[in-house]
Amino acid sequence: MRTGTQARKYRLQGAGLDLALPYLMLAPGLTIVLGVLVYPLWDGLRASTRAYRYGSPVADVGLQNYLHLWSDAQFLNALWVTVKFVALSVSFEAVLGFALALFCLHEFRGIRLLRTVLIIPMVITPVVVAIVFRLIYASDAGMLTALSKATGGGEVQILGNPLNAFIGLVALDVWEWTPLMFLILLAGLQSLPHEPFEAARVDGAGAWRVFADLTFPMMRPVLAVAIVLRTIDAFGTFDQVFVLTRGGPGEATRLISIYGYDTAFKFQQTGYAAALFVTIGLVVLALAFSAIRLLRRVDAS
Amino acid sequence: MMHSSRLTRRSVIKGGLGLALASTALTTLGLPMPARAAGKKVIIGAFADGGLTPFKEKIIPLAKEQGFDIQFLEDEYGVTLEKWFADAQSGAGQYDLYLLDDPWVPQFGAANVLEDLGAGGIDGSDKDWIGPMIDMGYWPPRQGPRVKGFENAKPTLICVPFVGDLQTLTYRNDVFTGGAPKTWDEVIAKGKEGVAAGKIKYPVVFRGVSGNPIVTSWYPIFLSFGGAFFDDKWNPIFNSAEGKASADFFVGTMKQNAPSGVVEFDSDQEGAAILGGDAGAIIQYSGNALKADDPAQTKVAGKLDFGVVPKQEKAIAQMGIFIAGVPKSAPNKANSIEFLKWYVSAETQAKLSEAGSIPVKRSAFGIAKPGNRLIPVALQQLDAGALPRPRTPDWAKVEELLGIELNKALQAGSGGGAALDKAAKQVKDYLTTAGYY
């Protein structure tokens, strides 16, 4: 039996803990988020408004770094190369991934093994993939050259030719990331309701009709999510290019990530690089929001 | 009894806090701190390069006999500058010694992140140093133009030469039977004869990848044509008539006589071409040259000789030495400086020369049995002429801008002079923005 004073004390302690406990429980997570996400973001924004010399800030320059970007031929070239790379890679990956997902929807002997094999490229470390592709593309001792010479041809020039190097980079990306599209779209296809398809079959609809009138419209939200995710990811492509071409020949494969990296760490223009990455971050965010809004509008209509 | 053993929120929080404090204390007190080991530990950061092989194989064991505990950490060339600069600037203290590429010294010097080695007792005025090499260890430079902000600063010895690497010519003695070719025209003409005789596939090979590789390959040709890079006010003058002639020769004649994929060639491919017996001649640093007599590493052992770089106007090579700096954040600073004093002593330099590496002290070139045929040739090249790259903290950017334009011209196989004009404008614009003028 508690006395009145004891009961009051326990009640007060309980009330105090009840109030503080949620915050105490949240504190570690919140501290980590502030430390690794909010602070670096704020620090990056602050850096983007400063001029750096020899790795240290020397002056506040306001939005000058942001304005300078649009007269920097190297930045504009890198942006254009990145946009081309993202558009081509993601388009190919979406089409191929969708085709593979449709094919692997069917159940037949060995399908489980095939589905597993198809996702192997995306689980290989990107740097390793780039090294392997370098060994394939090298004009002196690469596999393509060896194959060409074995069939009476000459050296195959991939990495020394701007167009071929760019196509080679897209091919690498498509090889590595089509499986991600395939996986997302296969999951989407498997979750579609059976009834509309059965009804269409009963009505005698052909495969194309079913695809055009049912599968594709029903898959559009999943497809959009997959494309948005891959687009955001492709904008950040770095390691494959770093190993395969380092942005060359010339500037043919110099993506914005490589230019930003060099600017920040090799040339020590920290403020300018911060402005570059903030700008690209905003562009990607804008693209993502636009895609989502477009998707909602299509759904609503 | 029941009450006292019940799991309450208070006891959970108390227990959790106690556990966190206990684990923190254990971590702090109980775990060893590898970067702060006692004794003569020295953590050396280096980029992977064959030029350091004799040091790794022969000198590190000697250092261990002297009581130094050397930890040798290697990285790929392309990432070391940024990694070490970040380490030095943040004061992370991951290294005691960086083995820098010499053009990086101004960047580290301007950022004031390296120790004053002169104050540490290393004598920069020792007459035994190779003059142009020890000069590269000072910031601001003792000679030549200085960047703004450092015009009146006293030159400080922040780095000491470590391996005296410089470019020399490696050539096939069965193709160039009269000895080292003296001019570029001879390289091409005799090389073509070698191709016709089926001895080699290409007269020359070089690095064509944009940025540092292509500029490094073009630079000795540029110097041999009589070019100069900047004037005393940092105005780019590399697009002079001599410079343009060198660039046209490089992207035209040189490309036509090199492997067809040379645009994408870096050191591994050019090394394979000369050591594999396909190329007749190459201008290179010691990394691959040191492999020339090892049948396990070359198909043409005994057929590769060394000489001074060919000339058009002058026979001047590019110096690209390994140079050691101690970061201010080094955890074992005193050990590093003691190690450097031992390493640059005439005795240890003689051992380095015996091991087959190019020393940084003149006396070590004169030993009875240098460990490699390249060493006396390196001294000949030093005496004939060898220049460092311009001493600016912005060299990496300058090299990038120039390298991209040269690489584009190399792809086209022409337009070297126009590429230099374009690069000169970009360099001027960049340096203007950086406050050089």
Side-chain angles (χ1 to χ4, degrees), chain A residues 2 10 13-14 17-18 21 24 53-56 74 134 137-140 155 157-160 162 242 246 248-251 254 259 261-262 265-269, chain B residues 3 9-10 13 76 78-79 81-82 85 89 107 110-111 147-148 150 202 210 260-261 263-265 268-269 393-394 396-397 400-401 404 407-408 411 430 434 436:
Chain A
R2 291 172 189 160
Y10 278 117
Q13 280 176 346
L17 269 177
D18 281 343
L21 195 60
L24 282 173
R53 199 76 190 110
Y54 313 129
S56 303
Q74 288 191 304
R134 206 178 153 190
Y137 290 159
S139 67
D140 55 341
E155 287 181 354
Q157 302 293 335
I158 304 281
L159 302 176
F242 192 81
R246 243 359 247 275
E251 299 170 281
R254 198 188 211 188
Y259 182 57
Y261 172 84
D262 284 346
F265 299 109
K266 211 163 140 188
F267 312 139
Q268 302 303 323
Q269 293 173 277
Chain B
H3 177 72
R9 281 173 295 199
R10 179 174 288 272
I13 290 164
E76 196 245 321
V79 298
L81 169 61
E82 41 268 49
F85 193 74
Q89 221 187 12
Q107 184 174 325
V147 296
K148 274 197 176 167
F150 295 93
Y202 332 100
S210 64
S260 58
V263 175
E264 63 173 272
F265 271 33
D268 46 352
Q269 288 112 319
D394 293 290
K397 181 71 181 182
E400 177 80 5
L401 294 168
I404 286 172
N407 178 267
K408 286 178 183 172
Q411 288 165 37
Y430 177 76
Y436 272 57

Side-chain angles (χ1 to χ4, degrees), chain A residues 57-298:
Chain A
V58 289
D60 284 315
V61 293
L63 296 176
Q64 203 176 306
N65 286 329
Y66 290 93
L67 296 174
H68 181 52
L69 282 171
W70 305 103
S71 59
D72 176 355
Q74 288 191 304
F75 167 74
L76 294 174
N77 174 76
L79 186 60
W80 175 232
V81 173
T82 307
V83 168
K84 281 192 298 182
F85 167 76
V86 171
L88 269 174
S89 301
V90 177
S91 304
F92 276 114
E93 285 157 21
V95 172
L96 278 174
F98 206 170
L100 284 170
L102 285 168
F103 178 72
C104 287
L105 197 59
H106 301 103
E107 292 293 336
F108 53 85
R109 195 179 158 87
I111 184 65
R112 281 172 191 271
L113 179 67
L114 181 65
R115 284 174 191 155
T116 309
V117 168
L118 281 172
I119 62 166
I120 286 175
M122 77 174 203
V123 298
I124 302 174
T125 310
V127 170
V128 176
V129 173
I131 292 170
V132 171
F133 271 74
R134 206 178 153 190
L135 294 173
I136 294 171
Y137 290 159
S139 67
D140 55 341
M143 279 170 59
L144 288 179
T145 289
L147 202 65
S148 165
K149 284 184 174 172
T151 52
E155 287 181 354
V156 180
Q157 302 293 335
I158 304 281
L159 302 176
N161 175 293
L163 179 63
N164 293 352
F166 181 77
I167 293 170
L169 182 65
V170 171
L172 180 156
D173 198 77
V174 168
W175 184 84
E176 185 164 22
W177 295 115
T178 295
L180 180 67
M181 283 284 191
F182 158 73
L183 208 60
I184 296 172
L185 296 174
L186 181 65
L189 285 170
Q190 285 175 334
S191 68
L192 294 181
H194 293 282
E195 294 79 10
F197 294 93
E198 281 165 10
R201 203 163 31 246
V202 169
D203 289 346
W208 172 250
R209 209 60 278 149
V210 170
F211 175 77
D213 292 342
L214 289 177
T215 314
F216 189 72
M218 290 167 86
M219 279 295 288
R220 208 151 39 199
V222 181
L223 193 60
V225 167
I227 288 173
V228 167
L229 284 176
R230 250 321 277 151
T231 301
I232 293 170
D233 195 36
F235 257 98
T237 301
F238 178 83
D239 25 17
Q240 296 99 321
V241 194
F242 192 81
V243 173
L244 189 70
T245 64
R246 243 359 247 275
E251 299 170 281
T253 60
R254 198 188 211 188
L255 302 186
I256 206 77
S257 56
I258 296 282
Y259 182 57
Y261 172 84
D262 284 346
T263 304
F265 299 109
K266 211 163 140 188
F267 312 139
Q268 302 303 323
Q269 293 173 277
T270 313
Y272 188 56
L276 183 154
F277 282 122
V278 168
T279 303
I280 294 304
L282 290 174
V283 168
V284 174
L285 265 178
L287 277 175
F289 279 123
S290 305
I292 291 164
R293 280 191 66 177
L294 189 71
L295 180 69
R296 283 184 184 155
R297 204 176 301 165
V298 168

Side-chain angles (χ1 to χ4, degrees), chain B residues 62-316:
Chain B
L62 277 182
K64 283 186 178 163
E65 284 173 19
Q66 296 294 316
F68 293 105
D69 175 15
I70 305 289
Q71 203 175 326
F72 194 76
L73 306 178
E74 273 183 309
D75 263 308
E76 196 245 321
Y77 180 87
V79 298
T80 40
L81 169 61
E82 41 268 49
K83 189 171 175 178
W84 296 345
F85 193 74
D87 173 71
Q89 221 187 12
S90 65
Q94 297 297 306
Y95 300 90
D96 293 316
L97 202 67
Y98 306 126
L99 298 188
L100 304 163
D101 191 5
D102 73 71
W104 302 343
V105 173
Q107 184 174 325
F108 282 78
N112 193 26
V113 290
L114 296 180
E115 278 294 314
D116 177 352
L117 299 177
I122 295 178
D123 182 10
S125 61
D126 182 353
K127 299 287 180 217
D128 201 18
W129 287 112
I130 303 286
M133 290 186 187
I134 190 67
D135 277 348
M136 285 192 262
Y138 283 88
W139 181 259
R142 293 196 287 192
Q143 295 159 25
R146 293 180 179 184
V147 296
K148 274 197 176 167
F150 295 93
E151 297 96 331
N152 302 314
K154 185 176 168 246
T156 305
L157 185 69
I158 54 166
C159 287
V160 290
F162 200 83
V163 171
D165 217 347
L166 76 164
Q167 293 175 326
T168 53
L169 174 76
T170 303
Y171 64 94
R172 283 280 293 273
N173 54 26
D174 56 335
V175 174
F176 301 93
T177 48
K182 297 284 186 288
T183 63
W184 283 108
D185 293 338
E186 191 184 341
V187 171
I188 301 300
K190 289 253 176 75
K192 281 180 175 172
E193 288 172 21
V195 173
K199 292 176 182 171
I200 51 174
K201 290 183 184 170
Y202 332 100
V204 289
V205 66
F206 55 89
R207 291 192 277 167
V209 173
S210 64
N212 168 273
I214 193 168
V215 175
T216 302
S217 284
W218 166 74
Y219 210 80
I221 298 162
F222 169 69
L223 293 174
S224 83
F225 272 68
F229 209 91
F230 288 114
D231 67 9
D232 283 349
K233 306 281 184 205
W234 293 108
N235 294 301
I237 53 167
F238 56 77
N239 55 337
S240 61
E242 295 85 4
K244 287 179 176 178
S246 74
D248 284 330
F249 176 78
F250 182 71
V251 304
T253 310
M254 290 276 284
K255 187 193 176 186
Q256 289 155 20
N257 290 282
S260 58
V262 75
V263 175
E264 63 173 272
F265 271 33
D266 207 343
S267 49
D268 46 352
Q269 288 112 319
E270 71 165 6
I274 190 74
L275 296 171
D278 292 341
I282 184 175
I283 301 288
Q284 61 180 356
Y285 284 109
S286 67
N288 284 322
L290 293 175
K291 299 171 185 167
D293 291 333
D294 182 359
Q297 301 196 69
T298 173
K299 289 181 185 170
V300 283
K303 289 183 179 176
L304 294 173
D305 276 344
F306 309 117
V308 170
V309 298
K311 65 174 180 179
Q312 211 69 17
E313 298 289 326
K314 307 166 187 171
I316 301 182

